[in-house]
């Protein structure tokens, strides 16, 4: 016997479109920020414009950088223009290891107008200053030098160090705490990197040291730096020549202006 399943057909009446219910009311929404569940996928919506805060939005650097000179003539960049040079205070060493050395902390925030006019950006200037600040962490202190030279052997040890010990030299032991060669090597490399950018623009930069301090140019912080100092104080400056002729002159000048450290301990000094 064969069994067959019965199939029942139901006829569904067709509805006219006019009999369909009307759609619910809707509102036109514009300038809506949609949630992006995956930050790796970029959604494009030409109708949406999101204005970010100034600290987050990309902006043209020329509009973000303010002049380093106020309307009253005060230089926020801590630089003083003397002739065709900018002179910036640079304290190479401190009395105690925890004291701040190098440039004024505010210096990095304001690029000199003379450099910005030549195409140097605020970012580049800040990077130079920050790199120099990191290098200064290797700089010696007066207290550290006294310990290296005089403890525990006092005067005899000091004489041996001056005559026989290349404390400032570029050698395999320069990274030890009792040597400062790594600091001088880093300063030389930093100056080369800076001048690779400045030289094609007919400018040149150099760190210089003056002894006695009366030989130094009168910088913005000059009076405060010489307070309580005697003739043994070595005053350092960061000088930037602004013309081709002045750059050539600065290149030919030595970093040493009266220091005359001819001892073995002074071999390798560049500041």
């Amino acid at each position: 016997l064969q069994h067959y399943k019965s199939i029942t057909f139901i006829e569904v009446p067709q509805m006219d479109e006019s009999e369909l219910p009307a759609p619910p009311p809707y509102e036109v929404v514009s300038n809506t920020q949609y949630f992006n569940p995956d930050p790796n996928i970029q959604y494009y919506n030409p109708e949406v414009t999101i204005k970010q805060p100034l600290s987050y939005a990309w902006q043209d650097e020329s509009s973000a950088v303010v002049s380093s000179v106020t309307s009253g003539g005060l230089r926020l960049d801590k630089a003083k223009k003397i002739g065709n040079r900018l002179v910036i205070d640079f304290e190479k060493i401190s009395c105690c290891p925890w004291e701040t050395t190098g440039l004024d902390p505010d210096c990095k925030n304001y690029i000199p107008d003379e450099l910005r006019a030549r195409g140097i950006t605020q970012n580049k200037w800040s990077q130079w200053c920050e790199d120099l600040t990191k290098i200064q962490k290797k700089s010696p202190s007066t207290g550290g030098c006294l310990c290296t030279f005089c403890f525990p052997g006092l005067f005899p040890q000091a004489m041996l160090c001056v005559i026989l010990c290349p404390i400032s030299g570029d050698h395999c032991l320069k990274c030890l705490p009792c040597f400062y060669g790594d600091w001088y090597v880093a300063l030389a490399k930093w100056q080369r990197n800076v001048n690779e950018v400045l030289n094609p623009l007919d400018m040149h930069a150099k760190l210089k040291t003056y002894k006695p301090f009366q030989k130094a140019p009168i910088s913005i912080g000059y009076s405060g730096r010489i307070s309580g100092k005697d003739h043994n104080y070595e005053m350092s400056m960061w000088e930037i020549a602004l013309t081709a002729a002045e750059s050539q002159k600065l290149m030919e000048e030595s970093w040493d202006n009266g220091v005359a450290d001819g001892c073995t301990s002074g071999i390798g000094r560049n500041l």
Side-chain angles (χ1 to χ4, degrees), residues 92 140 167-169 180-189 265 267-271:
K92 60 177 182 175
I167 291 177
S168 306
Y180 309 124
D182 57 338
W183 175 51
Y184 289 115
V185 170
L187 286 175
K189 182 179 179 180
S265 60
I267 296 176
R269 285 188 60 176
N270 55 17
L271 182 62

Side-chain angles (χ1 to χ4, degrees), residues 162-225:
V162 168
I163 298 173
L164 302 176
C165 189
I167 291 177
S168 306
D170 182 6
H171 48 72
C172 60
L173 300 178
K174 64 179 179 292
C175 295
L176 294 177
C178 57
F179 292 102
Y180 309 124
D182 57 338
W183 175 51
Y184 289 115
V185 170
L187 286 175
K189 182 179 179 180
W190 176 82
Q191 291 189 88
R192 287 195 300 270
N193 292 338
V194 171
N195 284 320
E196 284 178 359
V197 179
L198 293 182
N199 288 167
L201 303 174
D202 291 333
M203 295 186 289
H204 188 77
K206 180 177 287 187
L207 293 168
K208 302 182 66 176
T209 300
Y210 298 86
K211 183 181 178 182
F213 60 78
Q214 288 86 353
K215 295 182 177 181
I218 308 299
S219 60
I220 289 180
Y222 183 89
S223 58
R225 294 178 63 189

Side-chain angles (χ1 to χ4, degrees), residues 77-226:
D77 52 14
K78 309 299 180 182
K80 183 175 182 179
K81 188 174 182 181
I82 302 177
N84 289 320
R85 291 188 188 185
L86 292 179
V87 178
I88 304 174
D89 290 285
F90 181 80
E91 197 66 67
K92 60 177 182 175
I93 65 173
S94 62
C95 180
C96 301
W98 55 83
E99 294 179 339
T100 302
T101 62
L103 302 172
D104 186 287
D106 291 334
C107 185
K108 69 176 183 179
N109 298 324
Y110 300 95
I111 178 175
D113 289 350
E114 293 83 356
L115 271 64
R116 184 154 57 91
R118 299 290 190 87
I120 305 299
T121 64
Q122 175 66 48
N123 289 339
K124 176 64 70 175
W125 174 261
S126 298
Q127 186 63 53
W128 287 344
C129 296
E130 290 172 1
D131 291 344
L132 187 55
T133 299
K134 293 177 182 178
I135 293 173
Q136 281 303 109
K137 294 180 180 180
K138 303 178 181 180
S139 66
S141 63
T142 303
C145 291
L146 290 176
C147 290
T148 300
F149 278 80
C150 303
F151 183 81
L154 300 179
F155 185 75
Q157 178 179 329
M159 290 295 97
L160 290 174
C161 287
V162 168
I163 298 173
L164 302 176
C165 189
I167 291 177
S168 306
D170 182 6
H171 48 72
C172 60
L173 300 178
K174 64 179 179 292
C175 295
L176 294 177
C178 57
F179 292 102
Y180 309 124
D182 57 338
W183 175 51
Y184 289 115
V185 170
L187 286 175
K189 182 179 179 180
W190 176 82
Q191 291 189 88
R192 287 195 300 270
N193 292 338
V194 171
N195 284 320
E196 284 178 359
V197 179
L198 293 182
N199 288 167
L201 303 174
D202 291 333
M203 295 186 289
H204 188 77
K206 180 177 287 187
L207 293 168
K208 302 182 66 176
T209 300
Y210 298 86
K211 183 181 178 182
F213 60 78
Q214 288 86 353
K215 295 182 177 181
I218 308 299
S219 60
I220 289 180
Y222 183 89
S223 58
R225 294 178 63 189
I226 65 174

